[in-house]
Amino acid sequence: MTTPVCTYPSSASYPRAYPSFSSYVRTRGTALMRTARSLTANPCDAEDLLQTALTKTYVAWDRIEDHRALDGYVRRALVNTRTSQWRKRKVDEFSCEELPEPEGLPYTDPADAQVLRDAMWRAVTRLPDRQRAMVVLRYYEDLSEAQTAELLGVSVGTVKSAVSRALGKLREDPELSPIGL
């Protein structure tokens, strides 16, 4: 009987590293995490879901023809992965005397959160066009100040000052005050 010999693959047999993939994940990771978070109730599950979708994207990187459509590809991978997880989920039911209720968690009504989101959006739409564009790019699209400045063709300082003024207006908006809600 011969002793098995462990051989390790050479570096040539490892998967190819894609710098463009790393760059994509660095720039779009936050937005993709928001999408994953919207598909799950647990932030840890969202991280796992995004990791799985990015792994599938990495494996298919050479086959993706249009890299401008990567967000759509990853979002589809997120939804498909989440659907597969949901279908495979095994639910165990246990009867008990008392319903297990989480301790100390404050109850937040989803309707209240929606009212706040609607009020915020109405307040944003009342901002001047330029300030509104900068607030939307900075906080809704999660672009950096430099990216916002480049996209709008202005300086970073202009973005900073305009966003600061816009946030001041939003803080003073009567509809967003606790009394107005």
Side-chain angles (χ1 to χ4, degrees), residues 15-92:
R16 209 176 109 179
Y18 301 110
S20 57
F21 177 80
S22 299
S23 173
Y24 171 73
V25 171
R26 269 192 307 278
T27 58
R28 297 299 298 155
T30 304
L32 294 171
M33 177 53 77
R34 280 195 309 268
T35 303
R37 184 65 180 93
S38 70
L39 294 172
T40 64
N42 183 335
C44 295
D45 290 342
E47 290 175 8
D48 292 342
L49 178 63
L50 180 59
Q51 186 65 39
T52 302
L54 288 174
T55 301
K56 290 178 180 181
T57 303
Y58 182 82
V59 169
W61 195 254
D62 283 337
R63 294 183 312 233
I64 299 172
E65 294 176 12
D66 186 6
H67 281 217
R68 293 173 299 182
L70 283 171
D71 281 354
Y73 185 93
V74 175
R75 284 188 185 109
R76 175 52 52 196
L78 283 166
V79 170
N80 289 347
T81 301
R82 183 65 184 135
T83 302
S84 295
Q85 290 172 346
W86 177 79
R87 286 180 179 156
K88 292 177 188 175
R89 178 180 60 145
K90 181 182 177 194
V91 178
D92 292 328

Side-chain angles (χ1 to χ4, degrees), residues 51 101 104 142 155:
Q51 186 65 39
E101 297 294 330
D142 200 30
S155 70

